[in-house]
């Protein structure tokens, strides 16, 4: 809210750059503090399948299914319409070593956008085109592609989608918090709004950049959008991440 209120006091072109620099630093500093705190706690409480905050055999398929169910529930509460099916293909049995709550947040935000775009783009159809999640597990990195056939993004939206406070959501909904418990459960009530604050995508981008990954988009206006999340394998990541 404070960022929205401060916008009139900045030059229009400078505002997104200034806000992104400040917000990215705040988001990453908070994430680092949470990781260090959980790492300290993990030395006293062991969890099966974990080393510190890292899940050593994290199923990407399970992560997608859990966050798709969450996003579908939120979307259903807003639109009261039939929802698209989520299909998972590619290297569907892939298991990776990663901090699960980071990818939880990112998948949740992207899937909420995909559900919203698909429902809005096909409101008068009983059967909606599916959202397809493709997993690729390569030697040096793993990738998740989330592909929807909703409405795509206009050139204006595409240019601003990673700016803090930009949103194409028109309905008045409770704002989702960027600073929810990143190391807490994925389905917290505080993150249950569909959209509206303009933080989900830029924060997701900051998280993926933090682990030296990439989050990229391909969109066709009026047709749909593909989002690519590409993350280095842990062995490569440890050589590059700097706290």
């Amino acid at each position: 809210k404070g960022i929205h209120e401060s916008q009139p006091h900045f030059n229009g072109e400078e505002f997104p750059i200034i806000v992104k620099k400040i917000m990215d630093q705040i988001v990453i500093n908070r994430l680092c503090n949470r990781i260090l705190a959980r790492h300290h706690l993990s030395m006293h409480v062991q969890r099966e399948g974990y080393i510190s905050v890292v899940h050593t055999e994290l199923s990407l398929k399970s992560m997608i299914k859990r966050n798709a169910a969450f996003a579908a529930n939120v979307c259903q509460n807003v639109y009261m319409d039939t929802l698209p099916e989520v299909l998972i293909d590619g290297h569907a049995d892939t298991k990776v070593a990663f901090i699960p709550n980071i990818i939880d947040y990112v998948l949740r935000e992207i899937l909420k956008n995909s559900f919203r775009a698909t429902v809005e783009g096909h409101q008068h159809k009983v059967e909606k085109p599916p959202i397809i999640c493709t997993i690729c597990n390569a030697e040096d990195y793993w990738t998740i592609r989330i592909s929807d056939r909703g409405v795509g993004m206009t050139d204006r939206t595409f240019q601003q989608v990673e700016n803090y406070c930009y949103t194409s959501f028109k309905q008045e909904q409770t704002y989702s918090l960027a600073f929810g418990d990143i190391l807490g459960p994925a389905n917290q009530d505080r993150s249950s709004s569909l959209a509206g604050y303009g933080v989900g995508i830029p924060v997701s981008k900051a998280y993926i950049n933090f682990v030296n990954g990439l989050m990229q988009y391909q969109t066709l206006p009026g047709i749909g959008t593909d989002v690519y999340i590409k993350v280095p394998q842990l062995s490569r990541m440890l050589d590059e991440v700097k706290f």
Side-chain angles (χ1 to χ4, degrees):
K1 184 177 178 180
I3 296 173
H4 281 285
E5 292 177 350
S6 64
Q7 187 169 359
H9 302 285
F10 290 90
N11 178 285
E13 295 181 358
E14 294 177 351
F15 181 74
I17 300 173
I18 295 172
V19 169
K20 180 173 176 56
K21 182 177 180 181
I22 295 172
M23 290 295 294
D24 278 356
Q25 192 63 52
I26 292 173
V27 166
I28 295 307
N29 284 346
R30 188 177 189 281
L31 176 60
C32 289
N33 289 336
R34 299 291 296 183
I35 290 175
L36 290 172
R38 284 300 176 97
H39 171 69
H40 174 74
L41 294 173
S42 70
M43 292 189 293
H44 303 281
V45 180
Q46 297 294 326
R47 290 188 293 171
E48 184 178 355
Y50 280 81
I51 298 177
S52 182
V53 297
V54 176
H55 195 305
T56 57
E57 291 190 349
L58 182 64
S59 169
L60 297 181
K61 182 178 181 179
S62 296
M63 298 290 286
I64 293 170
K65 283 186 173 181
R66 181 169 68 179
N67 284 284
F70 175 80
N73 183 60
V74 175
C75 192
Q76 180 66 48
N77 290 337
V78 174
Y79 293 103
M80 301 296 182
D81 197 355
T82 56
L83 300 176
E85 183 181 4
V86 175
L87 305 178
I88 302 174
D89 62 10
H91 303 151
D93 296 327
T94 294
K95 294 183 179 180
V96 298
F98 195 64
I99 303 173
N101 303 91
I102 291 180
I103 195 64
D104 246 341
Y105 182 92
V106 175
L107 287 173
R108 183 166 69 245
E109 294 302 321
I110 295 174
L111 284 167
K112 283 196 297 183
N113 285 344
S114 293
F115 270 94
R116 178 168 69 92
T118 303
V119 172
E120 288 183 353
H122 302 273
Q123 287 184 342
H124 304 296
K125 297 180 181 178
V126 175
E127 292 189 10
K128 309 288 194 294
I131 297 169
I132 301 175
C133 300
T134 304
I135 300 170
C136 173
N137 188 31
E139 182 178 355
D140 292 330
Y141 59 86
W142 51 268
T143 302
I144 298 175
R145 180 184 66 189
I146 299 176
S147 178
D148 69 66
R149 291 300 172 261
V151 294
M153 289 187 278
T154 64
D155 290 342
R156 179 176 179 273
T157 299
F158 187 76
Q159 293 169 6
Q160 301 184 74
V161 68
E162 293 180 358
N163 291 345
Y164 285 92
C165 299
Y166 175 78
T167 178
S168 59
F169 195 52
K170 303 304 181 183
Q171 296 188 41
E172 186 175 347
Q173 298 293 329
T174 303
Y175 286 155
S176 172
L177 298 183
F179 305 116
D181 186 356
I182 182 60
L183 294 179
N187 59 345
Q188 300 179 70
D189 289 342
R190 74 178 79 187
S191 301
S192 62
S193 63
L194 183 62
Y197 210 12
V199 295
I201 293 301
V203 169
S204 297
K205 179 84 169 183
Y207 286 161
I208 296 300
N209 286 345
F210 171 71
V211 294
N212 286 300
L214 293 173
M215 196 169 90
Q216 299 174 317
Y217 318 87
Q218 290 184 347
T219 188
L220 294 173
I223 296 180
T225 300
D226 292 357
V227 181
Y228 293 81
I229 307 164
K230 183 177 179 179
V231 178
Q233 300 284 6
L234 183 63
S235 57
R236 179 181 171 188
M237 190 189 309
L238 292 175
D239 296 331
E240 299 177 353
V241 173
K242 297 180 181 179
F243 286 88

